[in-house]
Amino acid sequence: MSFKSAVITFPGSNCDRDALCYLKDLTKGEVHNIWHEETSLPKVDLVILPGGFSFGDYLRSGAMASKSKIIDEVVKHANDNRYLLGICNGFQILTEIGLLEGALIRNKKLKFLGKNCFIKKKFKNNFNLSIKDKQVLQIPVAHNEGNFYCDTETLNLLKNNEQIAFEYCKGEFSNTEENINGSIEAIAGITNKKKNVLGMMPHPERAYSDFHQSQDGRLIIESLIS
Amino acid sequence: MNEELILQHGLTLDEFQVIRKYLNRDLSIEELGIFSAMWNEHCCYKTSKKWLKKLPTDNEIVIQGPGENAGVIDLQDNDGIAFKIESHNHPSYIEPFNGSATGVGGILRDIFTMGARPIATLDSIRFGLIETEKTKYLLNGVVHGIGHYGNCIGIPNIGGECEFESTYDFNNLVNAMAVGHVQKDKIFYSKPKSIGGLIVYIGSKTGKDGIHGASMASDVFSEEDEDEKRPSVQVGDPFMEKLLMEGCLELMSSGLIESMQDMGAAGITSSSVEMASKGNVGVYINLDKVPLRQPLSAYEILLSESQERMLAVIDKKNNHKVREILQKWQIDYEVIGEITDTKRVVFESNNKKVVDLPVEIIVDDAPEYDREFYIPRKRKNKDFDFSKIKLEDMITNLLTNLNYLDKSWVFDQYDSTVMGDTIREPGQSSGIVKIHGTQKVIGASTDCNPLYIRINPYEGMKYTVAESYRNLIACNINPLAITNNLNFASPLDPNIMGELVLSIHGLKTAAVKFNTPIVSGNVSLYNQTNEIPIKPTPVIGMVGSNMDLNKINTNKFCEIGNKILILGKQLTKNFSPYLLQDQKIAFNICEFNDLDVLDLDFEKKIANCVLELSDLKCIMSCNDISRGGIFSALLKMQYKDMGFRIKVPDPIDLFCEYSAGYVIEIRSKDFEEVTSFLTKKGAEYLDIGEIIKEGIQINSKKFDYFDIMNKYRNDFEKIIS
């Protein structure tokens, strides 16, 4: 059975094309692009909420997109136990919808960060099955509000339920930082309790082609397909 | 009309008399506003036109040279590349965040107006000495503004320059360049196709921002001006621009548009006048139809520089379809006029013609000046004393000078990998992106050598072009064409005018030799405050390509044990201006020796060697040698904690400048092949050493690798905060 997927485009999304290419190249299956004003979603295995500045990030990153018409369908898709991945702005939208805990606040240095980062997996889930424990992935980040924050109670829940998918870590060489944006416990990505919804700040869709600096982003789609 | 009003509009009394005589009547205030906007330097190049005409602008790959919103070159098959650089100097000094953000917005519109999707931006930014709070504020604001706009709209920022020099203390420079990909059979021009076509307004509503921005950009500053002029700075909304870009590109690919113009400098005035002039037609526009943000007079509407607005011509029958597409993107759209056969520009407001002018007098009769200029005097040769300079001090000097430190602090605030086609990160010798869906890559670099050009404008400009050329060659990118941004002080000073004239000549000489025509550009004059002029800063952006992305070189060290060779010719110490300046040997401009004459044939010869060796896969990594010499080039090549062990005859050689200078990394097993190839080509080389793990060793003197690298990587941020 071939793997089907879809990418939602909001006004101001700017990684929608990248996510479409990522899915087309790696899943070899059907890939749909859905406009935010649609009211139905084809039955697919994976939906990606892409990065960008949906609605100009006005009000609060992801806040306006979380009220789009298509969101009801996205929530239904998740409730159906199918995969939902929010990358960067998509992660912010997922926390605004309430599908994921916590919030993304401004980076600790209050500056946009566009660079390579290093992450490793924390707790196992279907998005990181193909990644070995302690394996360090190199994947770019590009965000202004990527600093994951939640209260202690929520943090304990995330830990107890093993919902932390990725954390930032040092790379192999000297010029890398442990926790690039100041996230609580260096959290780079979390899932919901059922672990079918993942939000992450790094952009795996910018690290998969042979000409990219790293191909580690492939491992997420490979995990889902396997 | 009273004299004061005319002068306030930036026109000379002589210029006004020309208009008055032609029309044989008095002008309306709106008409005066139009001449003010169209006859300033920014729009009509009245000082530089005579000299710009001498530049080579055409060859077999040029599809569109200067004169349109952007130049376009041919990249084989159906692929074309549109690119241009533009300044936003004055606005960025007055209001750094919005000034630089709208600079990026404006240049992106120039690109997508041509039907091209922007695929990369670069920025050449220059500031005064960092010791002042003002410079820190400007640096933070400008970098934030560039980043905010480009990141939000989602175009990767792939490089540029960032330099500091006291000459820019009161006049920082912000030059933004954009590159776009266009299908050759879908290029759009500003020339309207048919009489009776509807003129439509697309994009943000018009407000008061930026009124008289273009004439401000052609003004000399005094310090008190700053606060007063702030309302003239436009405010950008990158989200709106993203919608506008997607909307316009969809309209163009659906074939619903005849022609398009960006409402940039001088807003609706310049876009409509240019449309009429290009098409040799007339325009009629009803200003009452223009979507407004607030009540405005006809005069204000004509001169507003509100951002994110386009003017297009469509066939009447497409009106409905155009409206539908733009509604999807939530963009304002209004039919405001039509193309006429009168060859006149007519603006109506409240049922009254407020402007009725022949296109001819505005465009063709615009003034052109042949300003007086002086040729710089010949310099006397001077010998400097280098005996007291120690290697350690040279390294310290370099690592405490912002211009040599790693500028990740700047580039990390830009999104360089969005669109998924970026091959290189910024901060390297050139930025490289793939043409989506192909194996072709485009490389781009911006450069300028203000100190060289002050010393000798003609030779200095040749060095500037050669530096961009080398930046591309080092990556195995074939240089193709140039866009330029001529930043100078007041041309009314014959010395400054001389620099302008001679540097254009230098640009011409180098561009002809490299077969890289100038296809677009911008001139920014009067960059001086309180009579302190900036150094001549004619920035160029060079674009090149390689048809096979697998063939490009990295600038970063690949493997421990590989050998390091130097190609090119060292400029002698006495003739290395940056060595003299940055090692604190010469300061005063009069002290410097003249530049060595740059042998462009030699540049080409060495470049061809690098390209051939790259195609033979003999080059593992390569970087050009520029300011800071071999040592600085080697620092830039550091990667994964790999360092170098080298031997040179004299340590000072490491900091000298070069012509045709490259550092190349080769495998030991290729050493024979590479060196006999170079010998056969008559290209001298210097075998200086090899790559080692976590070490820097010069003539058996060992340095602490991590100490040097930490300073190199982290001290920029320390110094500027």
Side-chain angles (χ1 to χ4, degrees):
Chain A
M1 258 260 297
S2 87
F3 190 90
K4 292 179 190 161
S5 56
V7 175
I8 315 281
T9 298
F10 303 94
S13 294
N14 61 29
C15 305
D16 45 340
R17 187 187 80 176
D18 310 359
L20 288 164
C21 294
Y22 176 62
L23 291 172
K24 275 179 202 153
D25 291 348
L26 297 180
T27 68
K28 309 281 180 210
E30 244 173 70
V31 184
H32 302 266
N33 187 13
I34 311 290
W35 182 241
H36 72 115
E37 285 185 310
E38 301 281 324
T39 48
S40 71
L41 197 58
K43 200 165 176 160
V44 292
D45 303 289
L46 167 68
V47 169
I48 290 186
L49 302 184
F53 288 67
S54 55
F55 297 92
D57 270 0
Y58 288 130
L59 194 57
R60 203 168 51 235
S61 308
M64 289 175 62
S66 74
K67 306 293 178 204
S68 284
K69 283 186 188 159
I70 194 67
I71 295 300
D72 288 345
E73 290 299 304
V74 172
V75 172
K76 267 187 223 160
H77 168 92
N79 289 342
D80 262 3
N81 254 338
R82 281 173 290 154
Y83 297 123
L84 174 58
L85 169 60
I87 301 168
C88 199
N89 192 223
F91 186 6
Q92 294 161 343
I93 296 169
L94 288 174
T95 62
E96 287 288 340
I97 298 173
L99 283 171
L100 293 178
E101 307 285 347
L104 284 313
I105 61 173
R106 289 190 70 187
N107 299 338
K108 98 188 134 184
K109 284 189 180 167
L110 304 179
K111 297 226 181 294
F112 187 93
L113 257 185
K115 62 193 292 190
N116 274 309
C117 80
F118 298 88
I119 58 172
K120 58 184 190 220
K121 85 173 182 189
K122 173 95 172 178
F123 296 112
K124 195 174 80 180
N125 57 54
N126 285 344
F127 292 94
N128 62 21
L129 275 181
S130 304
I131 300 166
K132 297 185 201 82
D133 293 338
K134 292 188 183 153
Q135 183 179 355
V136 173
L137 316 189
Q138 178 188 324
I139 297 182
V141 288
H143 58 243
N144 200 27
E145 285 97 15
N147 180 348
F148 182 80
Y149 181 79
C150 62
D151 57 28
T152 320
E153 200 181 330
T154 312
L155 184 64
N156 287 334
L157 271 177
L158 290 177
K159 284 185 192 163
N160 294 338
N161 298 331
E162 303 194 335
Q163 285 172 247
I164 300 168
F166 295 108
E167 56 191 5
Y168 301 108
C169 62
K170 260 186 93 63
E172 193 185 341
F173 300 101
S174 61
N175 61 334
T176 62
E177 278 174 273
E178 202 124 14
N179 182 357
I180 52 161
N181 57 19
S183 289
I184 198 161
E185 308 230 334
I187 288 174
I190 58 166
T191 63
N192 59 347
K193 207 168 162 186
K194 288 193 296 185
K195 299 187 184 175
N196 66 318
V197 179
L198 168 67
M200 63 191 293
M201 289 315 295
H203 286 271
E205 82 282 16
R206 300 185 193 179
Y208 79 92
S209 247
D210 290 337
F211 66 85
H212 288 150
Q213 279 209 330
S214 149
Q215 290 71 39
D216 294 340
R218 285 178 187 174
L219 293 166
I220 289 170
I221 298 299
E222 281 168 16
S223 297
L224 291 178
I225 290 178
S226 63
Chain B
M1 213 160 239
N2 78 47
E3 289 187 2
E4 200 184 330
L5 191 64
I6 295 163
L7 296 175
Q8 268 172 7
H9 279 76
L11 293 168
T12 66
L13 296 178
D14 288 343
E15 286 170 351
F16 180 77
Q17 277 316 313
V18 172
I19 303 166
R20 183 75 183 62
K21 220 166 140 191
Y22 183 99
L23 295 177
N24 199 21
R25 65 168 166 86
D26 231 339
L27 278 74
S28 68
I29 182 72
E30 291 83 3
E31 287 172 335
L32 184 65
I34 287 188
F35 282 103
S36 158
M38 298 303 297
W39 279 23
N40 65 48
E41 294 283 356
H42 193 86
C43 288
C44 83
Y45 302 99
K46 57 189 170 190
T47 293
S48 51
K49 201 167 13 177
K50 172 182 158 95
W51 302 103
L52 291 173
K53 278 182 197 155
K54 298 184 185 295
L55 291 173
T57 57
D58 199 14
N59 70 3
E60 59 291 347
I61 61 154
V62 174
I63 297 174
Q64 175 65 53
E68 274 289 338
N69 288 292
V72 184
I73 56 169
D74 191 337
L75 207 67
Q76 298 178 16
D77 310 312
N78 197 22
D79 297 315
I81 294 297
F83 65 100
K84 191 184 182 186
I85 191 166
E86 202 161 76
S87 63
H88 237 210
N89 302 335
H90 297 74
S92 304
Y93 184 75
I94 297 169
E95 217 294 88
F97 176 81
N98 277 303
S100 64
T102 53
V104 175
I107 195 68
L108 288 173
R109 282 194 301 285
D110 280 335
I111 300 302
F112 69 77
T113 304
M114 303 295 294
R117 177 171 285 278
I119 57 172
T121 60
L122 298 92
D123 300 279
S124 170
I125 52 181
R126 287 185 161 75
F127 301 94
L129 292 179
I130 198 67
E131 284 72 19
T132 67
E133 284 306 309
K134 175 82 184 186
T135 299
K136 288 177 187 170
Y137 160 76
L138 291 172
L139 172 69
N140 270 287
V142 165
V143 172
H144 185 202
I146 289 170
H148 174 69
Y149 209 99
N151 300 341
C152 185
I153 191 168
I155 315 292
N157 186 312
I158 59 169
E161 324 157 79
C162 172
E163 291 205 327
F164 300 84
E165 236 241 60
S166 61
T167 183
Y168 307 109
D169 276 344
F170 299 101
N171 287 90
N172 62 330
L173 300 184
V174 175
N175 296 175
M177 173 171 168
V179 182
H181 172 228
V182 62
Q183 287 173 318
K184 269 156 42 186
D185 56 4
K186 290 218 172 95
I187 301 174
F188 282 79
Y189 299 98
S190 47
K191 179 180 168 175
K193 286 180 188 147
S194 54
I195 305 292
L198 298 182
I199 299 177
V200 300
Y201 175 112
I202 301 172
S204 293
K205 291 182 170 59
T206 297
K208 275 195 175 173
D209 41 340
I211 290 174
H212 276 312
S215 29
M216 172 186 83
S218 311
D219 247 2
V220 175
F221 269 177
S222 71
E223 239 176 310
E224 308 86 68
D225 274 1
E226 217 181 294
D227 285 324
E228 208 171 290
K229 287 202 165 159
R230 195 160 288 126
S232 278
V233 177
Q234 313 88 325
V235 177
D237 178 357
F239 172 55
M240 183 38 119
E241 176 117 328
K242 167 77 175 164
L243 299 180
L244 186 65
M245 177 176 85
E246 297 300 342
C248 288
L249 289 174
E250 189 172 334
L251 288 180
M252 291 178 177
S253 64
S254 320
L256 295 171
I257 296 266
E258 272 188 21
S259 73
M260 200 173 244
Q261 266 284 61
D262 157 38
M263 286 193 241
I268 202 167
T269 294
S270 97
S271 52
S272 56
V273 169
E274 272 174 47
M275 233 174 211
S277 162
K278 294 267 168 54
N280 198 19
V281 292
V283 292
Y284 160 80
I285 287 177
N286 183 351
L287 294 174
D288 301 337
K289 300 266 171 122
V290 171
L292 298 182
R293 201 161 60 208
Q294 67 208 96
L296 295 180
S297 68
Y299 175 86
E300 288 170 314
I301 297 171
L302 282 170
L303 296 177
S304 162
E305 292 191 358
S306 289
Q307 297 288 293
E308 292 92 24
R309 303 180 302 158
M310 302 292 249
L311 205 62
V313 178
I314 64 166
D315 193 311
K316 275 190 180 112
K317 69 175 196 292
N318 291 328
N319 193 6
H320 183 67
K321 281 188 206 152
V322 171
R323 190 176 296 274
E324 235 170 39
I325 288 179
L326 292 172
Q327 249 161 18
K328 172 184 147 191
W329 292 103
Q330 304 170 355
I331 301 169
D332 269 331
Y333 166 75
E334 206 58 60
V335 176
I336 61 168
E338 66 174 45
I339 299 294
T340 64
D341 60 3
T342 59
K343 299 188 186 175
R344 296 180 81 83
V345 178
V346 178
F347 289 106
E348 203 177 277
S349 171
N350 290 321
N351 296 319
K352 194 180 137 219
K353 278 187 190 171
V354 292
V355 173
D356 186 355
L357 297 168
V359 177
E360 189 185 47
I361 173 76
I362 313 174
V363 180
D364 306 336
D365 294 352
E368 181 179 332
Y369 293 120
D370 185 1
R371 297 201 197 276
E372 189 187 9
F373 64 92
Y374 300 154
I375 307 267
R377 259 185 311 177
K378 262 226 151 322
R379 287 166 179 277
K380 286 194 193 111
N381 267 355
K382 191 171 171 183
D383 272 324
F384 296 98
D385 177 15
F386 293 90
S387 62
K388 292 195 187 88
I389 299 188
K390 290 206 297 268
L391 176 60
E392 289 81 356
D393 295 339
M394 284 195 280
I395 294 178
T396 306
N397 276 347
L398 204 115
L399 292 175
T400 47
N401 182 337
L402 276 185
N403 291 318
Y404 294 105
L405 295 174
D406 181 64
K407 302 196 180 76
S408 295
W409 181 88
V410 174
F411 294 112
D412 286 355
Q413 294 187 52
Y414 305 151
D415 189 344
S416 59
T417 51
V418 64
M419 293 182 93
D421 286 322
T422 306
I423 309 220
R424 284 296 163 71
E425 306 279 320
Q428 307 207 41
S429 81
S430 61
I432 305 177
V433 288
K434 193 165 84 76
I435 302 293
H436 196 66
T438 73
Q439 292 293 298
K440 300 175 190 174
V441 296
I442 285 293
S445 171
T446 66
D447 292 285
C448 186
N449 242 324
L451 176 60
Y452 277 43
I453 294 167
R454 172 75 17 116
I455 294 171
N456 181 333
Y458 176 78
E459 285 300 325
M461 195 62 202
K462 282 165 62 190
Y463 277 96
T464 288
V465 180
E467 186 173 339
S468 265
Y469 179 79
R470 279 176 230 148
N471 284 339
L472 295 179
I473 295 288
C475 299
N476 196 18
I477 298 279
N478 191 22
L480 295 175
I482 293 175
T483 179
N484 65 7
N485 200 138
L486 308 177
N487 307 282
F488 287 88
S490 170
L492 303 177
D493 175 344
N495 291 305
I496 306 284
M497 193 61 206
E499 292 175 338
L500 177 72
V501 170
L502 289 174
S503 60
I504 290 177
H505 273 277
L507 175 59
K508 175 189 164 186
T509 306
V512 167
K513 183 60 86 178
F514 294 146
N515 192 19
T516 48
I518 288 87
V519 298
S520 57
N522 173 247
V523 178
S524 170
L525 303 178
Y526 301 99
N527 290 290
Q528 62 183 61
T529 300
N530 299 340
E531 318 245 313
I532 305 171
I534 61 160
K535 281 209 177 96
T537 317
V539 173
I540 67 154
M542 195 182 270
V543 168
S545 73
N546 191 320
M547 294 298 147
D548 181 358
L549 70 92
N550 296 309
K551 285 192 174 158
I552 59 176
N553 294 334
T554 169
N555 298 136
K556 300 288 182 193
F557 282 154
C558 276
E559 208 179 325
I560 291 163
N562 280 350
K563 295 190 74 65
I564 302 169
L565 302 190
I566 304 296
L567 304 182
K569 196 173 119 214
Q570 184 186 310
L571 309 185
T572 42
K573 301 175 197 70
N574 285 333
F575 298 90
S576 284
Y578 283 113
L579 168 78
L580 295 169
Q581 178 186 276
D582 298 326
Q583 298 304 328
K584 301 171 184 165
I585 300 161
F587 290 104
N588 192 318
I589 200 74
C590 310
E591 291 174 358
F592 291 94
N593 284 320
D594 206 340
L595 296 177
D596 273 343
V597 171
L598 181 66
D599 179 349
L600 294 168
D601 286 311
F602 179 67
E603 283 284 345
K604 272 177 80 172
K605 182 171 92 172
I606 302 299
N608 285 331
C609 290
V610 174
L611 293 179
E612 274 188 63
L613 284 173
S614 305
D615 282 347
L616 292 169
K617 298 261 173 209
C618 286
I619 293 187
M620 296 294 99
S621 71
C622 179
N623 200 0
D624 68 301
I625 304 171
S626 54
R627 186 174 177 178
I630 296 173
F631 185 79
S632 190
L634 288 170
L635 279 190
K636 288 183 198 153
M637 295 175 84
Q638 301 301 306
Y639 189 53
K640 295 189 172 174
D641 297 343
M642 284 180 267
F644 52 88
R645 175 164 54 221
I646 54 173
K647 274 204 174 68
V648 283
D650 177 354
I652 295 179
D653 293 347
L654 284 177
F655 299 84
C656 288
E657 283 122 271
Y658 263 70
S659 60
Y662 300 89
V663 178
I664 61 172
E665 170 193 350
I666 59 168
R667 286 171 296 222
S668 312
K669 72 178 177 66
D670 294 333
F671 185 77
E672 286 301 316
E673 189 186 343
V674 171
T675 51
S676 64
F677 171 89
L678 290 170
T679 311
K680 203 173 74 197
K681 297 278 178 187
E684 283 176 41
Y685 64 91
L686 200 61
D687 170 12
I688 60 163
E690 61 186 341
I691 296 173
I692 59 171
K693 191 179 176 198
E694 296 174 5
I696 291 179
Q697 207 175 313
I698 300 166
N699 290 356
S700 72
K701 192 173 273 180
K702 285 186 184 169
F703 293 86
D704 183 335
Y705 178 81
F706 291 108
D707 178 49
I708 287 185
M709 289 317 293
N710 281 337
K711 284 182 180 144
Y712 174 66
R713 287 180 190 132
N714 304 325
D715 280 8
F716 186 93
E717 186 171 348
K718 281 185 200 154
I719 295 171
I720 60 142
S721 20

